[in-house]
Amino acid sequence: MFGFGNDKEIEVLDEYFKEFVNFVQLKQNKIAKRELKYSSKTNAILDSWNKLVDDTASGLKNDTKIMGEVVLLTDKMEQGIFGCRVHGNPSNPLIYALKVNINKMADEIEKDIKKLKNTIEHYTSNDFRSKVDINPNLKADMLSVMNGINTLGNALSTSAKQNLSNGQQLESNSTTMTDSVTNLANKANQQAASLEE
């Protein structure tokens, strides 16, 4: 009917196809290639499927490696380590797009964290002139944090200027007070001298 040797060969092809589908759907992690021991037509199909299994297994293995790198990268980022990237080259276009976007995200987060770190280091050295350069694409919480750091810098700068002004005023008042005390002491000495006379 189909031009195959017998029902056993059709059963072998059917079983191989189902096993291949399970393998592609990751319901099983291995698939055994079939021996070419049937009629020429069945062997031709099995040979073609064996090659397809090899290519698919290679692609899935590479994709699994990439997904492992993604898991490691996200784990590192969760720990606050931002220097990791996904390096593999998947043939699957969706996984390739995932790799590109995850690496791009990691690049941007690492840049933002470095900006925050550098600015905060300046603040701890009492240099409040430093500001975080904010990427215009930034939104939500990270934008709020960046703006908050800049607002903090402005507040610390204003406070430092006010403290400097207050210090200068105290110094001026102290000098005036010292002059007044000296003047008062001189007058007291003069009066004491007058009384002695």
Side-chain angles (χ1 to χ4, degrees):
M1 180 171 158
F2 294 103
F4 295 109
N6 59 41
D7 288 341
K8 174 67 176 159
E9 292 179 13
I10 292 172
E11 193 177 298
V12 166
L13 291 173
D14 183 54
E15 177 187 304
Y16 197 19
F17 178 74
K18 288 175 183 172
E19 193 175 330
F20 178 74
V21 170
N22 285 335
F23 178 66
V24 170
Q25 293 177 344
L26 304 176
K27 292 179 180 174
Q28 64 186 60
N29 60 7
K30 284 185 178 181
I31 183 169
K33 292 189 289 183
R34 299 305 192 263
E35 292 181 41
L36 306 179
K37 59 181 184 179
Y38 304 98
S39 69
S40 61
K41 287 183 180 181
T42 301
N43 282 345
I45 291 172
L46 288 175
D47 186 48
S48 174
W49 287 4
N50 283 341
K51 290 174 184 165
L52 183 63
V53 163
D54 284 341
D55 291 345
T56 304
S58 175
L60 286 175
K61 183 177 181 180
N62 193 33
D63 292 348
T64 302
K65 179 182 172 214
I66 301 296
M67 296 309 291
E69 287 185 53
V70 168
V71 168
L72 289 174
L73 180 144
T74 55
D75 184 54
K76 293 290 185 187
M77 290 182 77
E78 182 182 5
Q79 297 173 45
I81 302 167
F82 299 100
C84 299
R85 298 296 179 272
V86 177
H87 297 289
N89 290 310
S91 55
N92 182 322
L94 291 175
I95 293 180
Y96 180 79
L98 177 67
K99 169 199 165 178
V100 168
N101 285 317
I102 284 184
N103 283 342
K104 183 178 173 187
M105 176 193 66
D107 290 342
E108 292 305 315
I109 290 173
E110 184 176 26
K111 283 180 203 171
D112 289 340
I113 293 297
K114 283 182 179 178
K115 289 176 193 176
L116 288 169
K117 180 178 174 273
N118 290 337
T119 301
I120 291 171
E121 284 173 355
H122 283 112
Y123 292 175
T124 59
S125 301
N126 294 320
D127 178 1
F128 307 115
R129 297 169 296 168
S130 183
K131 300 288 176 239
V132 178
D133 179 33
I134 300 175
N135 182 333
N137 293 331
L138 214 53
K139 293 175 180 52
D141 290 341
M142 191 59 121
L143 177 61
S144 179
V145 168
M146 298 287 214
N147 283 326
I149 290 292
N150 286 339
T151 301
L152 176 64
N154 291 336
L156 291 171
S157 179
T158 300
S159 178
K161 287 176 188 172
Q162 187 63 46
N163 287 343
L164 177 62
S165 176
N166 290 344
Q168 290 170 338
Q169 186 63 43
L170 282 173
E171 183 179 10
S172 174
N173 291 347
S174 174
T175 302
T176 302
M177 190 174 192
T178 300
D179 291 345
S180 295
V181 168
T182 302
N183 191 19
L184 185 61
N186 287 339
K187 287 185 180 182
N189 285 338
Q190 287 172 358
Q191 277 189 338
S194 290
L195 287 174
E196 283 181 13
E197 289 177 7

